[in-house]
């Protein structure tokens, strides 16, 4: 069995991956917060990614790190910097020092949020972060690129769309950006198990009829999403007001709108 370290294993995505990856790998589940006690083929460890010395021990014997830990949405620069910039660096660096071969990094669609939604985007579009949070995901992807090219680590960056704790889209934008729990598990497994890649960016999105992210790289890894947000469309559209006009222009939606003082006409 491969040994997989999941950072942020106690978070929303972490808990779903813990259940979905169970039995397929030996899991080392790291979080700063308390977690449910270890089951078969599991180790539960407490680790703070802002403390590099704490990461050394948990990297031992690890084949792949699934790095989820961090601030999961927009926040103050200080928090984003400590967790998503410094913390992310600490995880990559500890993995390199321990000889870990592969890193699966939880990036976000907010790294490219200011692209216009009327255009499909793929993994080759330039970064257009829509928030400090988005900037931190650009940083993580750049770090991944560096560790792949310079140190030969195999790195996958999952630009995750809208992962919902209740496993259903709840806002109009989610009809395009939603990823179901089982698709999230499947995509992560493909990123862990695909035989040989150097550096790859994939979108974490289900097979949504309204999807606007071209996902050839994920398909090449064997990802075949099972779910489509459209099955919830009638209910979502009936229970929500239409999206704000500016928000609806961009892939990042609300991520763009928050603190927005720009001119939409200048964002081509
Ligand atoms: C994300 O990256 C965030 O972690 C999550 O809170 C949502 O904002 C999601 O993207 C989304 O775009 O819906």
């Amino acid at each position: 069995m491969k040994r997989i370290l999941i950072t942020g294993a106690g978070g929303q995505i972490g808990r779903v991956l813990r259940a979905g990856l169970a039995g397929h790998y030996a899991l080392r589940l790291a979080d700063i917060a308390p977690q449910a006690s270890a089951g078969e083929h599991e180790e539960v460890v407490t680790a703070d990614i802002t403390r590099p010395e704490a990461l050394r021990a948990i990297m031992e014997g690890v084949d792949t790190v699934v790095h989820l830990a961090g601030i999961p949405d927009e926040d103050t620069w200080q928090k984003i910097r400590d967790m998503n910039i410094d913390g992310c660096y600490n995880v990559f660096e500890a993995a390199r020092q321990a000889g870990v071969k592969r890193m699966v990094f939880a990036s976000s669609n907010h790294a490219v949020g200011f692209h216009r939604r009327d255009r499909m985007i793929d993994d080759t579009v330039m970064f257009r972060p829509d928030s400090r949070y988005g900037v931190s995901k650009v940083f993580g992807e750049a770090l991944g690129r560096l560790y792949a090219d310079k140190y030969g680590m195999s790195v996958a960056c999952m630009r995750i769309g809208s992962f919902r704790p209740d496993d259903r889209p709840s806002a109009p934008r989610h009809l395009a950006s939603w990823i179901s729990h089982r698709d999230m598990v499947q995509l992560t497994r493909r990123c862990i198990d695909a035989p040989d890649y150097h550096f790859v960016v994939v979108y974490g999105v289900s097979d949504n009829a309204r999807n606007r992210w071209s996902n050839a790289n994920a398909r090449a890894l064997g990802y075949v999403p099972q779910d489509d947000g459209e099955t919830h469309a009638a209910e979502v559209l009936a229970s929500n007001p239409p999206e704000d006009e500016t928000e609806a222009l961009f892939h990042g939606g609300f991520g763009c709108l928050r603190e927005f003082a720009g001119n939409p006409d200048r964002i081509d």
Side-chain angles (χ1 to χ4, degrees):
M1 260 186 176
K2 286 179 194 158
R3 178 168 287 118
I4 310 299
L5 169 67
I6 305 182
T7 68
Q12 286 180 0
I13 297 181
R15 290 195 304 271
V16 166
L17 292 187
R18 178 178 182 176
L21 304 188
H24 298 285
Y25 315 98
L27 297 178
R28 187 170 292 156
L29 304 156
D31 206 291
I32 197 170
Q35 302 178 71
S37 46
E40 208 187 346
H41 304 303
E42 284 185 345
E43 295 165 79
V44 168
V45 294
T46 305
D48 176 354
I49 61 168
T50 66
R51 295 186 48 244
E53 66 282 3
L55 296 176
R56 223 164 286 137
I58 67 171
M59 291 290 170
E60 227 178 274
V62 167
D63 296 290
T64 294
V65 176
V66 177
H67 177 41
L68 307 175
I71 302 291
D73 219 325
E74 186 60 316
D75 217 314
T76 61
W77 177 246
Q78 192 189 338
K79 283 190 190 165
I80 296 276
R81 187 194 55 209
D82 289 354
M83 293 294 289
N84 294 15
I85 305 283
D86 291 341
C88 185
Y89 175 79
N90 294 340
V91 171
F92 268 95
E93 184 52 17
R96 181 191 72 80
Q97 284 180 16
V100 172
K101 296 274 182 300
R102 181 167 284 186
M103 175 78 75
V104 179
F105 170 60
S107 183
S108 166
N109 72 92
H110 295 288
V112 290
F114 263 121
H115 282 284
R116 283 188 170 258
R117 234 187 259 181
D118 58 11
R119 267 178 249 136
M120 282 294 278
I121 55 172
D122 64 11
D123 60 295
T124 66
V125 292
M126 67 176 166
F127 291 122
R128 292 190 87 155
D130 60 31
S131 45
R132 293 175 288 279
Y133 169 71
V135 167
S136 75
K137 295 303 180 180
V138 171
F139 173 80
E141 290 195 18
L143 215 46
R145 186 90 246 190
L146 175 72
Y147 276 68
D149 290 345
K150 183 154 288 209
Y151 304 118
M153 195 183 272
S154 169
V155 178
C157 299
M158 303 188 290
R159 282 186 191 160
I160 301 170
S162 303
F163 176 94
R164 310 291 306 156
D166 55 358
D167 206 13
R168 54 199 301 134
S170 63
R173 173 175 165 274
H174 298 163
L175 298 175
S177 61
W178 180 57
I179 182 161
S180 69
H181 290 188
R182 64 176 172 168
D183 286 343
M184 187 72 235
V185 168
Q186 190 204 145
L187 180 62
T188 307
R189 290 205 59 198
R190 297 293 171 264
C191 291
I192 292 171
D193 289 334
D196 180 37
Y197 58 80
H198 179 62
F199 175 85
V200 70
V201 172
V202 297
Y203 284 90
V205 67
S206 280
D207 188 26
N208 302 326
R210 302 183 195 212
N211 172 37
R212 305 292 297 152
W213 301 328
S214 189
N215 219 1
N217 285 349
R219 276 200 307 279
L221 298 186
Y223 176 58
V224 184
Q226 304 296 296
D227 294 304
D228 180 353
E230 206 60 24
T231 51
H232 303 278
E235 188 193 327
V236 169
L237 295 173
S239 56
N240 283 281
E243 268 186 289
D244 172 277
E245 207 182 312
T246 306
E247 186 179 352
L249 287 175
F250 305 112
H251 285 273
F254 67 92
C256 301
L257 195 60
R258 204 190 275 123
E259 301 173 26
F260 187 69
N263 178 353
D265 298 338
R266 304 194 68 161
I267 308 171
D268 59 0

